[in-house]
C-alpha cells in the first residue's frame, strides 16, 4: 500500500504532496510556491507575508459564523538529515516514503512528518466540507527548526484568531501547554596549519550510526553525542601517544543530537599497534556504556588513510580537543515545577572546519530563561579560554503553561469522549513557536498536539499510522466543539 492510500485519505494525500517538495530549513521558496499554488487550485483564500509565512482561510460552516476564529498552525520546513551512505540532495530531491506495518518511514532520510503532517492536517480541514467549524485560519510558518524566523517575523493582523491549535507535537494522547526556550552558541576558533611531519601513520577515526534524534525531545534518553565521544577518545590518547590532528568534522543541525563524527589524526611511527589497540578497547567500552541507549549497531573505527599535506598547529588542536571534551552536554537540570520534565539541557551539536576557523555549535534549552543563559555563558567562558570568538544566535522564549486555558478544557473533554480515557497534559523540553505567538498576540488561547512520531530529526523518523487516524478524529471534534 502506498502512503496516499492510507486513512484518513485527505491527510495522507496532502502529506504525500508535501513530501515531493524540497523544503529544508532556510530553503523554502519551493514550499511557499507549492502552498500558494495549492490554495489557488482549490479556490482557497491565501496570502503571504514578507518573511514567507503563508495563511489560508476558510469561512465558517453555515450557522456557525459567530464562533471564535481558530488558527491551525504548522511549520513549512523540515530537518534535513540523512544516513552517511545515502545519496540525497534535500534542495532538489523528493522524500522517498514507504509503509512498514503501522508506520510510514523514509528511505535513509528524515521523513519530514515534523511538521509536514501538521501542515497536511490543516490543508485537509480546508478541503473537507463535512467538518463543522467556525472561521478557520491556517498559518504555515517558515524556518521553525532554526531561528523560528516565521514566528519572529509575524506581523500584527496577519492572523486574527483568538484560539491557536499548534499541530507540532509528537505524541498522540498528549496535550502540550508549555515549552522550553532556547539559544544557540556559536564558537569560532581561528587556527593555522603546519606541514604534516614525516614518520607518522595517519588514521581516520570514525564514530558512526549513533541514533541521534531531537535535542529537546530525546535529550533525556542518555544517547551518545558523537562529537563529545570522539574527542573523549582523542583526549585520552592525545599526550600518551603524541597525536596530531589534521581534520575533524561532526554533527549537523543545532537541534539534532549528533550521530556521526570523524577526525584524521597522525600517530608516531612505532605507536600504531598501541593506537589500534586503544581504538578497539574504546569501541568495546562505548558499546558497554551505550548498549541500552543506542543498541549495538553503532561503530567506532580507526582506518589508515593517505598522509595529509598539513595538520592543525598542535597548541590549537590540543585546546580544541580539550574544550569539546569538557563542553557541557546533555541534561543539565530537572524541573522542580513539573515532575519528570527536563528543565535545562545542552546539545554539543556540530564541529565544522573551514579554511580560516573551526566552528563549534552548541544548542541550549531551558524552561527558565536565566538558566538557558547561564549554560550558554558557561559554554562561552570555556571556548573564550582557548581563544575562540563566541556569539549567540536564534534565541527564543519559552511558553509558560496556562492550566486555566479554555481550549485545553474543550480538548480534554473531547479526548475523553472519543477515546475513553484522559489525555496527558504536559509541558515539553522541546521548543515551539507558541511562546513567540503569545508575545505578539497576548491573550491567545493555545494548546499543541499531534500524532505519534518517533526519532524525529534523524533518518529513523517515522509516523504512526493509527495515531494519525485518531489525531484527525480528535482535531475535527475539537473544531466542532469550538463552533
Amino acid at each position: 500500500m502506498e502512503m496516499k492510500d492510507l486513512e484518513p485519505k485527505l491527510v495522507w494525500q496532502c502529506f504525500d504532496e508535501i513530501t515531493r517538495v524540497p523544503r529544508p530549513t532556510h530553503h523554502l521558496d519551493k514550499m511557499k510556491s507549492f502552498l500558494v499554488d495549492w490554495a489557488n487550485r482549490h479556490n482557497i483564500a491565501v496570502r503571504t507575508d514578507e518573511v514567507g509565512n503563508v495563511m489560508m482561510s476558510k469561512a465558517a460552516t453555515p450557522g456557525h459564523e459567530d464562533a471564535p476564529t481558530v488558527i491551525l498552525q504548522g511549520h513549512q520546513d523540515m530537518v534535513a538529515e540523512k544516513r552517511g551512505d545515502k545519496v540525497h540532495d534535500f534542495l532538489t530531491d523528493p522524500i522517498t516514503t514507504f509503509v512498514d506495518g503501522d508506520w510510514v518511514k523514509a528511505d535513509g532520510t528524515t521523513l519530514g512528518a515534523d511538521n509536514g503532517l501538521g501542515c497536511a492536517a490543516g490543508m485537509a480541514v480546508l478541503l473537507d466540507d463535512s467538518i463543522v467549524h467556525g472561521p478557520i485560519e491556517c498559518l504555515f510558518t517558515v524556518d521553525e527548526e532554526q531561528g523560528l524566523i516565521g514566528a519572529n517575523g509575524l506581523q500584527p493582523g496577519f492572523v486574527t484568531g483568538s484560539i491557536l491549535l499548534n499541530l507540532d507535537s509528537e505524541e498522540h494522547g498528549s496535550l502540550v501547554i508549555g515549552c522550553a526556550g532556547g539559544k544557540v552558541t556559536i564558537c569560532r576558533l581561528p587556527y593555522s596549519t603546519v606541514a604534516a611531519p614525516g614518520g607518522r601513520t595517519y588514521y581516520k577515526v570514525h564514530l558512526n550510526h549513533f541514533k541521534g534524534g531531537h535535542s529537546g525531545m530525546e535529550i533525556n534518553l542518555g544517547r551518545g553525542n558523537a562529537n563529545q565521544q570522539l574527542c573523549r577518545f582523542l583526549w585520552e590518547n592525545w599526550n600518551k601517544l603524541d597525536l596530531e590532528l589534521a581534520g575533524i568534522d561532526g554533527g549537523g543541525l543545532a537541534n539534532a543530537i549528533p550521530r556521526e563524527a570523524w577526525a584524521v589524526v597522525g600517530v608516531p611511527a612505532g605507536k600504531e599497534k598501541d593506537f589500534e589497540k586503544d581504538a578497539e578497547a574504546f569501541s568495546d567500552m562505548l558499546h558497554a556504556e551505550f548498549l541500552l541507549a543506542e543498541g549495538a549497531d553503532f561503530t567506532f573505527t580507526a582506518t589508515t588513510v593517505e598522509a595529509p599535506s598539513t595538520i592543525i598547529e598542535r597548541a590549537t588542536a590540543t585546546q580544541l580537543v580539550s574544550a569539546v571534551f569538557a563542553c557541557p552536554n546533555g541534561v543539565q537540570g530537572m524541573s522542580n515545577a513539573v515532575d519528570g520534565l527536563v528543565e535545562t539541557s545542552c546539545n554539543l551539536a556540530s564541529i565544522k572546519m573551514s579554511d580560516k576557523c573551526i566552528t563549534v555549535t552548541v544548542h541550549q534549552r531551558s524552561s527558565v530563561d536565566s538558566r538557558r543563559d547561564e549554560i550558554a555563558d558557561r559554554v562561552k567562558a570555556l571556548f573564550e579560554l582557548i581563544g575562540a570568538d563566541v556569539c549567540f544566535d536564534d534565541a527564543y522564549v519559552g511558553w509558560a503553561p496556562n492550566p486555566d486555558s479554555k481550549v485545553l478544557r474543550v480538548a480534554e473533554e473531547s479526548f475523553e469522549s472519543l477515546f475513553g480515557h484522559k489525555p496527558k497534559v504536559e509541558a515539553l523540553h522541546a521548543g515551539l513557536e507558541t511562546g513567540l505567538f503569545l508575545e505578539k498576540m497576548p491573550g491567545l488561547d493555545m494548546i499543541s498536539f499531534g500524532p505519534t512520531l518517533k526519532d524525529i530529526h534523524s533518518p529513523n523518523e517515522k509516523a504512526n499510522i493509527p495515531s494519525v487516524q485518531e489525531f484527525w478524529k480528535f482535531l475535527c471534534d475539537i473544531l466542532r466543539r469550538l463552533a
Side-chain angles (χ1 to χ4, degrees), residues 144-176:
E144 184 267 355
E145 298 290 2
Q146 294 180 47
L148 290 87
I149 290 171
N152 264 311
L154 192 67
Q155 295 299 308
F158 189 67
V159 289
T160 62
S162 58
I163 295 171
L164 186 141
L165 305 181
N166 172 272
L167 308 179
D168 190 23
S169 292
E170 287 87 33
E171 182 185 357
H172 177 62
S174 172
L175 303 180
V176 176

PDB file of all heavy atoms in Angstrom, residues 144-176:
ATOM      1  N   GLU A 144      11.045  27.208  11.253  1.00  0.00           N
ATOM      2  CA  GLU A 144      10.869  26.949  12.682  1.00  0.00           C
ATOM      3  C   GLU A 144      12.072  26.227  13.265  1.00  0.00           C
ATOM      4  O   GLU A 144      12.482  26.481  14.402  1.00  0.00           O
ATOM      5  CB  GLU A 144       9.607  26.103  12.896  1.00  0.00           C
ATOM      6  CG  GLU A 144       9.255  25.837  14.362  1.00  0.00           C
ATOM      7  CD  GLU A 144       9.824  24.544  14.911  1.00  0.00           C
ATOM      8  OE1 GLU A 144      10.436  23.774  14.126  1.00  0.00           O
ATOM      9  OE2 GLU A 144       9.671  24.286  16.115  1.00  0.00           O
ATOM     10  N   GLU A 145      12.666  25.320  12.491  1.00  0.00           N
ATOM     11  CA  GLU A 145      13.688  24.437  13.040  1.00  0.00           C
ATOM     12  C   GLU A 145      14.986  25.165  13.392  1.00  0.00           C
ATOM     13  O   GLU A 145      15.752  24.701  14.232  1.00  0.00           O
ATOM     14  CB  GLU A 145      13.986  23.298  12.052  1.00  0.00           C
ATOM     15  CG  GLU A 145      12.799  22.394  11.750  1.00  0.00           C
ATOM     16  CD  GLU A 145      12.407  21.514  12.930  1.00  0.00           C
ATOM     17  OE1 GLU A 145      13.030  21.626  13.996  1.00  0.00           O
ATOM     18  OE2 GLU A 145      11.460  20.717  12.778  1.00  0.00           O
ATOM     19  N   GLN A 146      15.237  26.285  12.756  1.00  0.00           N
ATOM     20  CA  GLN A 146      16.417  27.078  13.072  1.00  0.00           C
ATOM     21  C   GLN A 146      16.028  28.555  13.102  1.00  0.00           C
ATOM     22  O   GLN A 146      15.878  29.182  12.056  1.00  0.00           O
ATOM     23  CB  GLN A 146      17.529  26.855  12.045  1.00  0.00           C
ATOM     24  CG  GLN A 146      18.100  25.453  12.037  1.00  0.00           C
ATOM     25  CD  GLN A 146      19.183  25.288  11.001  1.00  0.00           C
ATOM     26  OE1 GLN A 146      20.087  26.101  10.876  1.00  0.00           O
ATOM     27  NE2 GLN A 146      19.096  24.222  10.221  1.00  0.00           N
ATOM     28  N   GLY A 147      15.839  29.079  14.300  1.00  0.00           N
ATOM     29  CA  GLY A 147      15.603  30.510  14.445  1.00  0.00           C
ATOM     30  C   GLY A 147      14.163  30.935  14.611  1.00  0.00           C
ATOM     31  O   GLY A 147      13.902  32.096  14.915  1.00  0.00           O
ATOM     32  N   LEU A 148      13.201  30.031  14.401  1.00  0.00           N
ATOM     33  CA  LEU A 148      11.785  30.389  14.492  1.00  0.00           C
ATOM     34  C   LEU A 148      11.498  31.689  13.748  1.00  0.00           C
ATOM     35  O   LEU A 148      10.841  32.605  14.245  1.00  0.00           O
ATOM     36  CB  LEU A 148      11.343  30.491  15.963  1.00  0.00           C
ATOM     37  CG  LEU A 148      11.275  29.168  16.724  1.00  0.00           C
ATOM     38  CD1 LEU A 148      12.628  28.831  17.321  1.00  0.00           C
ATOM     39  CD2 LEU A 148      10.253  29.224  17.845  1.00  0.00           C
ATOM     40  N   ILE A 149      12.022  31.775  12.533  1.00  0.00           N
ATOM     41  CA  ILE A 149      12.008  33.031  11.790  1.00  0.00           C
ATOM     42  C   ILE A 149      10.589  33.457  11.428  1.00  0.00           C
ATOM     43  O   ILE A 149      10.242  34.641  11.504  1.00  0.00           O
ATOM     44  CB  ILE A 149      12.899  32.907  10.538  1.00  0.00           C
ATOM     45  CG1 ILE A 149      14.367  32.832  10.971  1.00  0.00           C
ATOM     46  CG2 ILE A 149      12.678  34.076   9.579  1.00  0.00           C
ATOM     47  CD1 ILE A 149      15.327  32.492   9.864  1.00  0.00           C
ATOM     48  N   GLY A 150       9.750  32.501  11.043  1.00  0.00           N
ATOM     49  CA  GLY A 150       8.378  32.865  10.693  1.00  0.00           C
ATOM     50  C   GLY A 150       7.604  33.408  11.873  1.00  0.00           C
ATOM     51  O   GLY A 150       6.893  34.407  11.758  1.00  0.00           O
ATOM     52  N   ALA A 151       7.737  32.761  13.035  1.00  0.00           N
ATOM     53  CA  ALA A 151       7.053  33.239  14.237  1.00  0.00           C
ATOM     54  C   ALA A 151       7.618  34.589  14.682  1.00  0.00           C
ATOM     55  O   ALA A 151       6.874  35.482  15.091  1.00  0.00           O
ATOM     56  CB  ALA A 151       7.180  32.211  15.357  1.00  0.00           C
ATOM     57  N   ASN A 152       8.947  34.730  14.595  1.00  0.00           N
ATOM     58  CA  ASN A 152       9.569  36.005  14.960  1.00  0.00           C
ATOM     59  C   ASN A 152       9.112  37.141  14.066  1.00  0.00           C
ATOM     60  O   ASN A 152       8.952  38.277  14.512  1.00  0.00           O
ATOM     61  CB  ASN A 152      11.099  35.879  14.884  1.00  0.00           C
ATOM     62  CG  ASN A 152      11.724  35.568  16.224  1.00  0.00           C
ATOM     63  OD1 ASN A 152      11.431  36.221  17.215  1.00  0.00           O
ATOM     64  ND2 ASN A 152      12.592  34.566  16.262  1.00  0.00           N
ATOM     65  N   GLY A 153       8.919  36.823  12.785  1.00  0.00           N
ATOM     66  CA  GLY A 153       8.573  37.877  11.822  1.00  0.00           C
ATOM     67  C   GLY A 153       7.097  38.099  11.622  1.00  0.00           C
ATOM     68  O   GLY A 153       6.702  38.929  10.794  1.00  0.00           O
ATOM     69  N   LEU A 154       6.260  37.391  12.363  1.00  0.00           N
ATOM     70  CA  LEU A 154       4.813  37.517  12.196  1.00  0.00           C
ATOM     71  C   LEU A 154       4.363  38.932  12.559  1.00  0.00           C
ATOM     72  O   LEU A 154       4.653  39.434  13.642  1.00  0.00           O
ATOM     73  CB  LEU A 154       4.100  36.497  13.076  1.00  0.00           C
ATOM     74  CG  LEU A 154       2.603  36.297  12.827  1.00  0.00           C
ATOM     75  CD1 LEU A 154       2.370  35.665  11.454  1.00  0.00           C
ATOM     76  CD2 LEU A 154       2.006  35.419  13.923  1.00  0.00           C
ATOM     77  N   GLN A 155       3.639  39.573  11.644  1.00  0.00           N
ATOM     78  CA  GLN A 155       3.193  40.949  11.839  1.00  0.00           C
ATOM     79  C   GLN A 155       1.756  40.999  12.371  1.00  0.00           C
ATOM     80  O   GLN A 155       0.946  40.117  12.075  1.00  0.00           O
ATOM     81  CB  GLN A 155       3.279  41.723  10.520  1.00  0.00           C
ATOM     82  CG  GLN A 155       4.684  41.886  10.001  1.00  0.00           C
ATOM     83  CD  GLN A 155       5.572  42.661  10.962  1.00  0.00           C
ATOM     84  OE1 GLN A 155       5.224  43.765  11.397  1.00  0.00           O
ATOM     85  NE2 GLN A 155       6.713  42.080  11.319  1.00  0.00           N
ATOM     86  N   PRO A 156       1.437  42.031  13.169  1.00  0.00           N
ATOM     87  CA  PRO A 156       0.070  42.160  13.691  1.00  0.00           C
ATOM     88  C   PRO A 156      -0.955  42.167  12.564  1.00  0.00           C
ATOM     89  O   PRO A 156      -0.758  42.816  11.534  1.00  0.00           O
ATOM     90  CB  PRO A 156       0.111  43.518  14.416  1.00  0.00           C
ATOM     91  CG  PRO A 156       1.555  43.745  14.741  1.00  0.00           C
ATOM     92  CD  PRO A 156       2.330  43.121  13.619  1.00  0.00           C
ATOM     93  N   GLY A 157      -2.026  41.422  12.766  1.00  0.00           N
ATOM     94  CA  GLY A 157      -3.114  41.411  11.793  1.00  0.00           C
ATOM     95  C   GLY A 157      -3.006  40.357  10.710  1.00  0.00           C
ATOM     96  O   GLY A 157      -3.965  40.151   9.955  1.00  0.00           O
ATOM     97  N   PHE A 158      -1.841  39.684  10.600  1.00  0.00           N
ATOM     98  CA  PHE A 158      -1.719  38.667   9.552  1.00  0.00           C
ATOM     99  C   PHE A 158      -2.664  37.502   9.834  1.00  0.00           C
ATOM    100  O   PHE A 158      -3.259  36.932   8.920  1.00  0.00           O
ATOM    101  CB  PHE A 158      -0.269  38.190   9.457  1.00  0.00           C
ATOM    102  CG  PHE A 158      -0.012  37.301   8.264  1.00  0.00           C
ATOM    103  CD1 PHE A 158      -0.087  37.811   6.973  1.00  0.00           C
ATOM    104  CD2 PHE A 158       0.308  35.965   8.433  1.00  0.00           C
ATOM    105  CE1 PHE A 158       0.138  36.992   5.870  1.00  0.00           C
ATOM    106  CE2 PHE A 158       0.547  35.143   7.331  1.00  0.00           C
ATOM    107  CZ  PHE A 158       0.463  35.653   6.054  1.00  0.00           C
ATOM    108  N   VAL A 159      -2.791  37.145  11.108  1.00  0.00           N
ATOM    109  CA  VAL A 159      -3.852  36.236  11.541  1.00  0.00           C
ATOM    110  C   VAL A 159      -4.655  36.954  12.616  1.00  0.00           C
ATOM    111  O   VAL A 159      -4.141  37.814  13.326  1.00  0.00           O
ATOM    112  CB  VAL A 159      -3.301  34.900  12.086  1.00  0.00           C
ATOM    113  CG1 VAL A 159      -2.740  34.053  10.963  1.00  0.00           C
ATOM    114  CG2 VAL A 159      -2.245  35.117  13.157  1.00  0.00           C
ATOM    115  N   THR A 160      -5.921  36.572  12.749  1.00  0.00           N
ATOM    116  CA  THR A 160      -6.814  37.323  13.645  1.00  0.00           C
ATOM    117  C   THR A 160      -7.479  36.441  14.688  1.00  0.00           C
ATOM    118  O   THR A 160      -8.226  36.947  15.516  1.00  0.00           O
ATOM    119  CB  THR A 160      -7.911  38.027  12.824  1.00  0.00           C
ATOM    120  OG1 THR A 160      -8.697  37.037  12.153  1.00  0.00           O
ATOM    121  CG2 THR A 160      -7.302  38.984  11.793  1.00  0.00           C
ATOM    122  N   GLY A 161      -7.233  35.140  14.648  1.00  0.00           N
ATOM    123  CA  GLY A 161      -7.918  34.227  15.543  1.00  0.00           C
ATOM    124  C   GLY A 161      -7.571  34.455  17.006  1.00  0.00           C
ATOM    125  O   GLY A 161      -6.514  34.995  17.345  1.00  0.00           O
ATOM    126  N   SER A 162      -8.470  33.992  17.887  1.00  0.00           N
ATOM    127  CA  SER A 162      -8.253  34.105  19.331  1.00  0.00           C
ATOM    128  C   SER A 162      -7.840  32.768  19.950  1.00  0.00           C
ATOM    129  O   SER A 162      -7.460  32.718  21.116  1.00  0.00           O
ATOM    130  CB  SER A 162      -9.523  34.602  20.016  1.00  0.00           C
ATOM    131  OG  SER A 162     -10.615  33.722  19.756  1.00  0.00           O
ATOM    132  N   ILE A 163      -7.927  31.692  19.173  1.00  0.00           N
ATOM    133  CA  ILE A 163      -7.536  30.353  19.621  1.00  0.00           C
ATOM    134  C   ILE A 163      -6.535  29.801  18.612  1.00  0.00           C
ATOM    135  O   ILE A 163      -6.732  29.917  17.387  1.00  0.00           O
ATOM    136  CB  ILE A 163      -8.755  29.416  19.706  1.00  0.00           C
ATOM    137  CG1 ILE A 163      -9.728  29.902  20.779  1.00  0.00           C
ATOM    138  CG2 ILE A 163      -8.329  27.969  19.983  1.00  0.00           C
ATOM    139  CD1 ILE A 163     -11.061  29.166  20.771  1.00  0.00           C
ATOM    140  N   LEU A 164      -5.452  29.219  19.111  1.00  0.00           N
ATOM    141  CA  LEU A 164      -4.457  28.634  18.212  1.00  0.00           C
ATOM    142  C   LEU A 164      -4.225  27.174  18.577  1.00  0.00           C
ATOM    143  O   LEU A 164      -3.959  26.847  19.741  1.00  0.00           O
ATOM    144  CB  LEU A 164      -3.133  29.413  18.273  1.00  0.00           C
ATOM    145  CG  LEU A 164      -2.060  28.975  17.268  1.00  0.00           C
ATOM    146  CD1 LEU A 164      -1.299  30.181  16.707  1.00  0.00           C
ATOM    147  CD2 LEU A 164      -1.054  27.993  17.889  1.00  0.00           C
ATOM    148  N   LEU A 165      -4.354  26.305  17.593  1.00  0.00           N
ATOM    149  CA  LEU A 165      -4.030  24.889  17.740  1.00  0.00           C
ATOM    150  C   LEU A 165      -2.714  24.648  17.003  1.00  0.00           C
ATOM    151  O   LEU A 165      -2.680  24.640  15.766  1.00  0.00           O
ATOM    152  CB  LEU A 165      -5.138  24.008  17.171  1.00  0.00           C
ATOM    153  CG  LEU A 165      -6.547  24.235  17.726  1.00  0.00           C
ATOM    154  CD1 LEU A 165      -7.536  23.270  17.068  1.00  0.00           C
ATOM    155  CD2 LEU A 165      -6.580  24.077  19.244  1.00  0.00           C
ATOM    156  N   ASN A 166      -1.646  24.492  17.765  1.00  0.00           N
ATOM    157  CA  ASN A 166      -0.340  24.185  17.192  1.00  0.00           C
ATOM    158  C   ASN A 166      -0.289  22.676  16.943  1.00  0.00           C
ATOM    159  O   ASN A 166      -0.457  21.878  17.871  1.00  0.00           O
ATOM    160  CB  ASN A 166       0.764  24.634  18.156  1.00  0.00           C
ATOM    161  CG  ASN A 166       2.139  24.172  17.732  1.00  0.00           C
ATOM    162  OD1 ASN A 166       2.566  23.086  18.090  1.00  0.00           O
ATOM    163  ND2 ASN A 166       2.835  24.998  16.981  1.00  0.00           N
ATOM    164  N   LEU A 167      -0.062  22.270  15.702  1.00  0.00           N
ATOM    165  CA  LEU A 167      -0.120  20.858  15.315  1.00  0.00           C
ATOM    166  C   LEU A 167       1.279  20.284  15.157  1.00  0.00           C
ATOM    167  O   LEU A 167       1.571  19.552  14.214  1.00  0.00           O
ATOM    168  CB  LEU A 167      -0.928  20.714  14.016  1.00  0.00           C
ATOM    169  CG  LEU A 167      -2.313  21.366  14.033  1.00  0.00           C
ATOM    170  CD1 LEU A 167      -3.012  21.193  12.692  1.00  0.00           C
ATOM    171  CD2 LEU A 167      -3.173  20.790  15.158  1.00  0.00           C
ATOM    172  N   ASP A 168       2.140  20.587  16.122  1.00  0.00           N
ATOM    173  CA  ASP A 168       3.573  20.271  16.011  1.00  0.00           C
ATOM    174  C   ASP A 168       4.088  19.493  17.218  1.00  0.00           C
ATOM    175  O   ASP A 168       5.248  19.631  17.591  1.00  0.00           O
ATOM    176  CB  ASP A 168       4.369  21.575  15.826  1.00  0.00           C
ATOM    177  CG  ASP A 168       5.822  21.336  15.471  1.00  0.00           C
ATOM    178  OD1 ASP A 168       6.133  20.250  14.955  1.00  0.00           O
ATOM    179  OD2 ASP A 168       6.649  22.232  15.729  1.00  0.00           O
ATOM    180  N   SER A 169       3.236  18.685  17.843  1.00  0.00           N
ATOM    181  CA  SER A 169       3.703  17.800  18.907  1.00  0.00           C
ATOM    182  C   SER A 169       3.757  16.372  18.381  1.00  0.00           C
ATOM    183  O   SER A 169       3.157  16.054  17.354  1.00  0.00           O
ATOM    184  CB  SER A 169       2.790  17.892  20.138  1.00  0.00           C
ATOM    185  OG  SER A 169       2.927  19.170  20.734  1.00  0.00           O
ATOM    186  N   GLU A 170       4.471  15.508  19.099  1.00  0.00           N
ATOM    187  CA  GLU A 170       4.821  14.203  18.521  1.00  0.00           C
ATOM    188  C   GLU A 170       4.351  13.006  19.334  1.00  0.00           C
ATOM    189  O   GLU A 170       4.888  11.916  19.189  1.00  0.00           O
ATOM    190  CB  GLU A 170       6.344  14.113  18.335  1.00  0.00           C
ATOM    191  CG  GLU A 170       6.883  14.958  17.212  1.00  0.00           C
ATOM    192  CD  GLU A 170       7.186  16.378  17.636  1.00  0.00           C
ATOM    193  OE1 GLU A 170       7.583  16.566  18.795  1.00  0.00           O
ATOM    194  OE2 GLU A 170       7.018  17.294  16.813  1.00  0.00           O
ATOM    195  N   GLU A 171       3.356  13.194  20.197  1.00  0.00           N
ATOM    196  CA  GLU A 171       2.846  12.060  20.962  1.00  0.00           C
ATOM    197  C   GLU A 171       1.335  12.153  21.054  1.00  0.00           C
ATOM    198  O   GLU A 171       0.807  13.005  21.781  1.00  0.00           O
ATOM    199  CB  GLU A 171       3.458  12.019  22.362  1.00  0.00           C
ATOM    200  CG  GLU A 171       3.002  10.834  23.189  1.00  0.00           C
ATOM    201  CD  GLU A 171       3.522  10.862  24.617  1.00  0.00           C
ATOM    202  OE1 GLU A 171       4.294  11.780  24.968  1.00  0.00           O
ATOM    203  OE2 GLU A 171       3.132   9.970  25.389  1.00  0.00           O
ATOM    204  N   HIS A 172       0.632  11.288  20.325  1.00  0.00           N
ATOM    205  CA  HIS A 172      -0.831  11.296  20.416  1.00  0.00           C
ATOM    206  C   HIS A 172      -1.251  10.928  21.833  1.00  0.00           C
ATOM    207  O   HIS A 172      -0.723   9.989  22.441  1.00  0.00           O
ATOM    208  CB  HIS A 172      -1.436  10.302  19.430  1.00  0.00           C
ATOM    209  CG  HIS A 172      -2.915  10.209  19.527  1.00  0.00           C
ATOM    210  ND1 HIS A 172      -3.733  11.289  19.272  1.00  0.00           N
ATOM    211  CD2 HIS A 172      -3.741   9.182  19.874  1.00  0.00           C
ATOM    212  CE1 HIS A 172      -4.991  10.931  19.453  1.00  0.00           C
ATOM    213  NE2 HIS A 172      -5.022   9.662  19.823  1.00  0.00           N
ATOM    214  N   GLY A 173      -2.217  11.665  22.343  1.00  0.00           N
ATOM    215  CA  GLY A 173      -2.657  11.470  23.722  1.00  0.00           C
ATOM    216  C   GLY A 173      -2.047  12.460  24.683  1.00  0.00           C
ATOM    217  O   GLY A 173      -2.352  12.444  25.873  1.00  0.00           O
ATOM    218  N   SER A 174      -1.185  13.327  24.161  1.00  0.00           N
ATOM    219  CA  SER A 174      -0.555  14.358  24.984  1.00  0.00           C
ATOM    220  C   SER A 174      -1.024  15.730  24.518  1.00  0.00           C
ATOM    221  O   SER A 174      -0.999  16.032  23.318  1.00  0.00           O
ATOM    222  CB  SER A 174       0.964  14.257  24.874  1.00  0.00           C
ATOM    223  OG  SER A 174       1.585  15.352  25.505  1.00  0.00           O
ATOM    224  N   LEU A 175      -1.475  16.542  25.464  1.00  0.00           N
ATOM    225  CA  LEU A 175      -1.823  17.938  25.197  1.00  0.00           C
ATOM    226  C   LEU A 175      -0.736  18.805  25.810  1.00  0.00           C
ATOM    227  O   LEU A 175      -0.525  18.776  27.028  1.00  0.00           O
ATOM    228  CB  LEU A 175      -3.183  18.285  25.790  1.00  0.00           C
ATOM    229  CG  LEU A 175      -4.367  17.432  25.331  1.00  0.00           C
ATOM    230  CD1 LEU A 175      -5.639  17.901  26.014  1.00  0.00           C
ATOM    231  CD2 LEU A 175      -4.515  17.472  23.819  1.00  0.00           C
ATOM    232  N   VAL A 176      -0.051  19.551  24.980  1.00  0.00           N
ATOM    233  CA  VAL A 176       1.086  20.351  25.431  1.00  0.00           C
ATOM    234  C   VAL A 176       0.611  21.768  25.723  1.00  0.00           C
ATOM    235  O   VAL A 176      -0.081  22.391  24.909  1.00  0.00           O
ATOM    236  CB  VAL A 176       2.201  20.362  24.374  1.00  0.00           C
ATOM    237  CG1 VAL A 176       3.353  21.267  24.805  1.00  0.00           C
ATOM    238  CG2 VAL A 176       2.706  18.945  24.135  1.00  0.00           C
TER     239      VAL A 176
END
